[in-house]
Amino acid sequence: LDIGFVRSQTEIALLELYGDYPRGHLSRYTAIYSSLSSSYDLEFDGNTAVATPFPVTEEEDPRSAGLLDSLTTVAFEKNEKPRLRGMEVASASTQMVHSEQMAELAGPIRLFPAGTNQSLLQLKNECGYDLSDAVVIHRRASRDGKDRLRGCWLGLVRKGASVMLRWSDVSLPGKGLPYAEERRRAAQTDYHARLNVDPLLRLAFRFPDADDPLHGMRDEYRLIARIDDWLPGAAASPTASQRAGATVVLGRLRLADAPFPEVDANSPSDVTDDKSRNAYDEELEAASSP
């Protein structure tokens, strides 16, 4: 019967980078579709990868009801390469896989002063990939919780290119993304078929609340961009004839120095009535009581 046969693979990933390091943490969310029931293996480069299928319920995908009638077992093994083996995909259904690994890039994404002027900053893309819709956000946190946000729209930053950062005040909308008009124009001139990763981009723009213990007086320079492709390092077998992917890049380019350590304001004896008691005595007393 000429009913057609197709395999497709769609991947959305998050690549997290720090400072001048050429390695990053890569989280992949991969959807594999098959028009006929198939068993898949996924193999990863390097020895840092871990992977597991998403659980599928009948409510999420009624077409998977036949697969739910019996349990299936997958195996994650590390021999020469990490491999997720025996993942079943029912006919005309989609199975999703969550995997994480350390990704080796061609180089870092660097933020450094332009010449002797420390306030004039320059960004250089040495990661080996073109960055689309690139934005650098600078958060200057204050003790009263009122952060000042400055932004710089860079747009397309080619691999190997350097760009100067020109700042302007920016606010993060409750819905949508900052620089909406610039994004719309960039999408019109891009020949790539873009996946919708706006929900993940909105998470990348989120900063901790003022009561976060790591908030403090930290200044942070954060790069947020997208790579309209999947990154190498993972291969599914059998291969899919149709593939699509997008990678969100979250680069913490620079953080403020940690505060200088200070002496605690109080000692345990300042806040206890019984100066002779300590935690060890209290544990012994609690253990001996009925």
Side-chain angles (χ1 to χ4, degrees):
L1 296 178
D2 187 13
I3 60 175
F5 175 71
V6 66
R7 290 191 177 99
S8 68
Q9 181 175 338
T10 305
E11 179 178 294
I12 292 176
L14 173 65
L15 177 63
E16 298 178 83
L17 305 170
Y18 278 87
D20 290 336
Y21 293 99
R23 285 162 51 92
H25 183 268
L26 181 63
S27 301
R28 303 177 188 262
Y29 304 92
T30 306
I32 297 177
Y33 170 85
S34 179
S35 57
L36 295 179
S37 178
S38 302
S39 177
Y40 281 82
D41 295 345
L42 281 84
E43 188 176 80
F44 302 89
D45 293 341
N47 59 0
T48 63
V50 291
T52 183
F54 277 46
V56 178
T57 64
E58 188 173 354
E59 290 76 14
E60 295 171 348
D61 189 353
R63 294 169 297 181
S64 299
L67 182 61
L68 295 172
D69 291 339
S70 60
L71 296 177
T72 60
T73 301
V74 298
F76 181 74
E77 55 191 20
K78 287 190 174 183
N79 295 320
E80 294 182 359
K81 292 184 177 181
R83 176 180 297 179
L84 182 68
R85 182 168 49 83
M87 188 185 71
E88 300 291 339
V89 180
S91 298
S93 66
T94 301
Q95 176 63 278
M96 295 185 65
V97 179
H98 173 202
S99 62
E100 300 188 20
Q101 64 188 123
M102 298 302 296
E104 293 281 356
L105 304 176
I109 299 175
R110 301 176 53 233
L111 182 69
F112 55 94
T116 58
N117 190 345
Q118 296 294 317
S119 62
L120 189 60
L121 297 177
Q122 185 173 351
L123 181 139
K124 186 171 184 180
N125 176 17
E126 300 177 350
C127 73
Y129 298 94
D130 294 341
L131 302 176
S132 301
D133 294 355
V135 175
V136 175
I137 295 289
H138 175 214
R139 179 194 66 174
R140 178 172 293 172
S142 61
R143 293 188 182 275
D144 59 5
K146 296 180 180 179
D147 299 343
R148 182 192 175 191
L149 293 178
R150 299 187 302 163
C152 179
W153 169 264
L154 302 178
L156 178 62
V157 182
R158 299 286 187 184
K159 56 185 177 182
S162 297
V163 290
M164 302 294 297
L165 303 188
R166 295 174 173 83
W167 302 102
S168 61
D169 291 337
V170 64
S171 60
L172 303 181
K175 295 182 179 179
L177 294 168
Y179 302 104
E181 181 60 26
E182 289 85 349
R183 294 177 188 278
R184 186 187 64 81
R185 291 198 298 263
Q188 290 178 342
T189 58
D190 193 351
Y191 65 91
H192 291 95
R194 290 188 166 195
L195 292 179
N196 181 12
V197 293
D198 287 358
L200 190 55
L201 286 169
R202 283 195 291 270
L203 289 176
F205 276 102
R206 182 182 298 174
F207 288 93
D209 296 329
D211 58 353
D212 188 283
L214 296 181
H215 188 272
M217 290 289 293
R218 173 179 293 172
D219 287 347
E220 179 178 353
Y221 290 87
R222 180 182 295 187
L223 168 72
I224 301 168
R226 58 186 293 160
I227 300 173
D228 290 305
D229 205 348
W230 59 87
L231 270 60
S237 177
T239 58
S241 58
Q242 301 177 10
R243 292 194 63 179
T247 303
V248 171
V249 179
L250 172 56
R252 290 181 168 86
L253 303 175
R254 181 189 296 176
L255 301 177
D257 295 333
F260 189 80
E262 299 178 356
V263 177
D264 289 342
N266 299 311
S267 65
S269 61
D270 295 329
V271 295
T272 58
D273 295 332
D274 188 352
K275 308 301 183 181
S276 62
R277 295 175 61 84
N278 56 47
Y280 180 70
D281 293 333
E282 293 176 359
E283 289 183 3
L284 289 179
E285 183 178 303
S288 60
S289 62

